[in-house]
Amino acid sequence: MILLCGIPSEPPLRAVTEALQQIGASYIVFNQRAFERWSISFEVRDGGVDGELRYRARRYDLACIAAVFTRFIDDRVLPEVEGESQDSEIRCKCRSVHDALARWIEVAPALVINRASAMASNSSKPYQSQLISRHGFLIPETLISNNPDAIRAFRRKYGRVIYKSASGVRSIVHELSDEDERRLDLVRWCPTLFQEFIGGTNIRVHIIGGKAFATAVESGATDYRYAMSQTGQSAKLREVELSSDVRRKCVSLAKSLRLEFAGIDLKVTPDDQVYCFEVNPCPAFSYYEMSTGQPIANAIAKHLASAGRIT
Amino acid sequence: MWLILHSEGDISARWAYEGLHRFTHTPIELLTAEDIEGATEFEHKLGGIGTTFKIQLADGRSLSNETVSAVLNRLLGPSPYWLTQSETSDARYVYDELYAIYVSWLSGFAGKVINRPSDCSLCGPALHSAKWAHLAREVGFKIRPYCQSTESRLRSSETTYSDETYRVLVLEGEVFGTPVPNQIQSACRALARSTGADLLGVELSQLPTGDLAFTGATSTPDLPNGGDEFLEALAHSLSSPVAT
């Protein structure tokens, strides 16, 4: 049995669900928005981990769940708890179900895409950069500072400089402009991350079960996810082949981070230097799959089904 | 220079700060998150030449990767001040940013760090009780069962444990604190090794059978429990080069 967690209509989860149907694998979906109908109990004892997941009158032995695919959204922002006070019964039920499920997933003897503990390196981008550099990728020169003079000097040295969040909080990558420089005194409130701008072609590499799907992204935007708002034109995506060396490094990087599935952001410079910016542990792969036809959801489904040969 | 990083109210950090002076002539600085967040200059670089840092504190003290040789890390996070500013999302953003920056800073420091950040935590392995129980079981401990249910969050254990708690410290493979059998010492070492903790506190309770069962672990243990023997080993560890 495969357990899928998230919002069923969300494109990546929907794509994996459809792919599991196509290969005939048996699965259940924990729909976060229906949390009130679910309950879970588990125990960690000398003999191992066991327990039960319940949906209304149906009961599932946790020992029978051989694989889990997670696309959790923050349960605090579910529409079903909107407007509820912090200690309301419904919000407590919501937290309780999500907490118990997340705790079980961390100790479950199952293949998990991906455990929260494995995803955690992404909550500090500069920390993750250090892990990335150990796998032979170049990383951009980076300065984290609350000193405007040091940031100005960094910009003078590298010419083009971008800034973004250091944490996992989603931020739009912007290039540091003259106008930004005029308000640099604001960084005294909180050290901020600046990086040399690296020119070249963005490549998103999805790694699943040792397989790599590489997509080149052509865009003039500093952050291609926001290409339309930054340049007025959508990014263009196409499938590309990685060299065996880069593919090997990507697979090894994902494995070392204990990620069964990862979205690795590379940039290949005009002189073929390969930089790695980030490893996304919960990538929204459907955007790339829809643009290129790469069978990523199918690979995820097969990988999930391979756990205990579930079909 | 050695740094002892800690969060406000950490009595063990002050105990170590005062006690370590008896075993070393190396200058030691005791710093909190509040000290770092009040710095007039904080600079952390990474890239082709490795990682560096430079901090100019508000009181005039100056720290850098060239002047600091070792860190005893007991820092749990940025100042809780940011979390009390719940009305503003900016304050929460600052907290998350500072956390991410501290993780990078301490991970990338080329000198000795007892307990370097892990993926999940700023100070060594900070795991949930369920995960500790799971890992403790894997390294051979008998464990106090961990139970969680959406019906009632924690069910009481059926087994009776003695009130007496055995507290053990593991520092780079050496065991201190309450004397325990060799088999338990080995399991404590294995647990520290499996979680990548340089320094780990392990708590045990006695079962009716007389056996000791694992009840919890922490990367910020009560240090005085280890006594002078532990302090001497800590001084030795902070003086030792980084294992490669």
Side-chain angles (χ1 to χ4, degrees), chain A residues 256-275:
Chain A
S256 76
L257 296 176
R258 296 173 290 124
L259 294 171
E260 294 289 338
F261 178 45
I264 301 177
D265 289 328
L266 305 180
K267 199 153 204 181
V268 181
T269 66
D271 57 348
D272 267 343
Q273 305 245 47
V274 181
Y275 283 80

Side-chain angles (χ1 to χ4, degrees), chain B residues 139-218:
Chain B
V139 300
F141 279 110
K142 288 183 183 301
I143 60 168
R144 178 164 68 186
Y146 175 87
C147 311
Q148 185 167 354
S149 170
T150 48
E151 310 306 319
S152 60
R153 195 177 171 280
L154 281 172
R155 278 184 290 176
S156 59
S157 168
E158 297 147 8
T159 312
T160 306
Y161 294 83
S162 71
D163 292 336
E164 190 178 1
T165 299
Y166 293 68
R167 291 191 175 85
V168 172
L169 292 173
V170 185
L171 175 64
E172 295 185 326
E174 280 192 80
V175 177
F176 305 89
T178 318
V180 289
N182 287 342
Q183 191 184 351
I184 296 291
Q185 289 189 26
S186 297
C188 289
R189 287 190 197 96
L191 186 63
R193 200 165 47 244
S194 75
T195 56
D198 305 306
L199 172 61
L200 188 70
V202 180
E203 291 194 356
L204 307 142
S205 285
Q206 200 161 40
L207 296 166
T209 57
D211 291 334
L212 290 176
F214 172 91
T215 55
T218 173

Side-chain angles (χ1 to χ4, degrees), chain B residues 27-100:
Chain B
I28 306 170
E29 296 288 350
L30 192 60
L31 285 186
T32 62
E34 286 77 4
D35 293 324
I36 302 161
E37 283 149 37
T40 56
E41 191 178 335
F42 180 97
E43 193 176 295
H44 168 41
K45 290 181 177 175
L46 51 148
I49 56 155
T51 62
T52 62
F53 77 91
K54 190 167 67 178
I55 300 173
Q56 185 69 46
L57 297 171
D59 61 10
R61 286 180 292 172
S62 174
L63 316 164
S64 76
N65 50 290
E66 290 174 354
T67 58
V68 176
S69 61
V71 177
L72 171 60
N73 178 26
R74 292 176 61 89
L75 194 58
L76 299 173
S79 166
Y81 163 81
W82 300 106
L83 295 178
T84 63
Q85 308 302 301
S86 57
E87 296 302 311
T88 66
S89 59
D90 279 358
R92 178 71 219 192
Y93 177 78
V94 169
Y95 184 91
D96 289 342
E97 287 292 287
L98 289 170
Y99 197 101

